[in-house]
Amino acid sequence: MAQPTPIRGLGPDSELGQAARRILAGRLADVRKPESKLNGTIDDDAVHDMRVATRRLRAALQVFRPLGGLTKLEHEVKRLQDALGDVRDLHVQALWLEDVAKKARREKPETRKGIAALGKARLTGLAPKEKRLRSELKRWSSRTLPRMLRKVDGLEDDHRFGGRRVKEPLHWRVRRVHKRMKVYMDAPDATSAHVLRKELKKLRYELEIFQPAFRRTLGALTEMLVPLQEGLGELHDADVRLEVFERLAAGGKPQERKAARALLPLIREGRAKRSAEIARELQRWHAEDIPRRLLQVLS
């Protein structure tokens, strides 16, 4: 995953308005970096990098929302993020099928043809998604970006960057993630995993924003979120895949049904492996008492 642009020269006593201007400018720069690779052919890596950058930008807009006038801009960024996500999700599934097709030499010729056909079907659905993405990119560059640059330049707030106004929402976010972890451990299904993943991403991006306002140990603790977040992301991909192929196995065309049924054991095996890895990572979280350590640093 692409790393955010480091924000230099901020500390706990910096004014919140100054911090907001500098952090939002950095997050905007991260969104713009992959843009040149999306002007012609849609580049897989650029889509992924820009999607992650829009998530970080939205997190910053939500954090600094109390400064005023950022809600509509955040909704505009979400439009772009959703369009990027639709393309990225199909890229992920198509790449998985491409990899499986290369390894399917032991399968019957008919099954191999079915797998190849499924891959082509995924790519066929990509064209309208890419068309929408190009439309949203045009809207972003011509409308949203100029408005955001004007708004960011005018943000003012003389509260402390490391003050109570910042700490209380972060405490709430840590406790919320901890609660979602317990829910997932009690019922580790696709829904609870997806909710935990979203909350964990929000916590990570918010901690990245406020890292300059706290002790250096916050950076090390933030990095400890990464394996769990990435594992939950892979689990989500497996859950999406499982839903799609179970549907094809039940009601697809004859060739699709055979291929989907041949792939379902592989998909379930992969999901079980990811689930076991996440269980081990959650055990580490509790053994090392990471939520309590985060709350201590944020005090």
Side-chain angles (χ1 to χ4, degrees), residues 23-25 27-28 31 52-62 74 77 140 148 209:
I23 290 168
L24 283 167
R27 296 299 185 262
L28 271 171
V31 173
V52 172
T54 55
R55 283 175 177 160
R56 284 193 168 105
L57 176 58
R58 282 189 64 209
L61 289 167
Q62 290 167 354
E74 191 259 322
V77 176
W140 158 260
M148 190 171 295
I209 289 167

Side-chain angles (χ1 to χ4, degrees), residues 7-8 10 14-29 57 60-61 64 67 70 148-159 161 209:
I7 309 299
R8 311 293 184 189
L10 294 177
S14 301
E15 287 190 359
L16 189 58
Q18 178 198 26
R21 292 192 301 273
R22 296 183 65 174
I23 290 168
L24 283 167
R27 296 299 185 262
L28 271 171
L57 176 58
L61 289 167
F64 296 120
L67 277 67
L70 298 177
M148 190 171 295
L149 289 170
R150 289 194 298 270
K151 185 62 185 176
V152 168
D153 284 343
L155 291 176
E156 296 288 347
D157 191 307
D158 59 4
H159 287 85
F161 184 39
I209 289 167

